[in-house]
Amino acid sequence: MLRPLFLLLLTLVATPPARSDESGLCTSVCVTEQGRCQKKARSMNNVERDGWVHHQDVRTGSDASAEMERLAARQAEADKRRSERDADCEMAYGRCVSDCRRPR
């Protein structure tokens, strides 16, 4: 009678650290996924920027100011998309960590 009770208590005592390890592993996976997301976002930013820089063709004369306005608008759009990608990565990380903290 005493032996099964002792084994049960030993199992219960050993359970919280296992869950803690699982949580730590889960959080580690979240950090890894966040890094991948940020790497992909930077890659997309670079592709977008390289395409944008490649197509810059500022003319002189009367069309120059209109062209500069179009280029400024394109840059603003690119900046907005970059911010959105960064925010998406942060939101995904937050959801992942939140899921790790939920009791199972």
Side-chain angles (χ1 to χ4, degrees):
M1 171 87 183
L2 200 53
R3 184 178 170 134
L5 182 60
F6 177 73
L7 291 175
L8 177 65
L9 288 174
L10 184 61
T11 303
L12 291 175
V13 170
T15 302
R19 285 191 179 174
S20 176
D21 289 345
E22 288 175 8
S23 178
L25 178 62
C26 185
T27 303
S28 176
V29 169
C30 294
V31 169
T32 300
E33 289 300 317
Q34 181 187 31
R36 287 181 186 155
C37 182
Q38 290 171 339
K39 184 177 179 181
K40 182 178 177 183
R42 281 191 305 270
S43 174
M44 292 172 70
N45 294 341
N46 291 340
V47 167
E48 192 172 69
R49 185 193 67 227
D50 291 346
W52 179 76
V53 169
H54 184 295
H55 290 98
Q56 281 186 359
D57 183 23
V58 179
R59 296 177 183 93
T60 57
S62 61
D63 289 339
S65 64
E67 186 68 20
M68 290 301 288
E69 288 177 19
R70 283 192 293 272
L71 290 173
R74 286 182 69 188
Q75 181 62 44
E77 289 174 19
D79 290 344
K80 180 182 175 197
R81 285 189 296 274
R82 185 185 68 235
S83 295
E84 289 171 349
R85 285 189 284 267
D86 291 343
D88 288 345
C89 290
E90 291 301 317
M91 286 176 53
Y93 173 75
R95 282 191 304 268
C96 184
V97 170
S98 176
D99 289 345
C100 287
R101 292 181 181 154
R102 284 194 191 139
R104 296 173 192 214

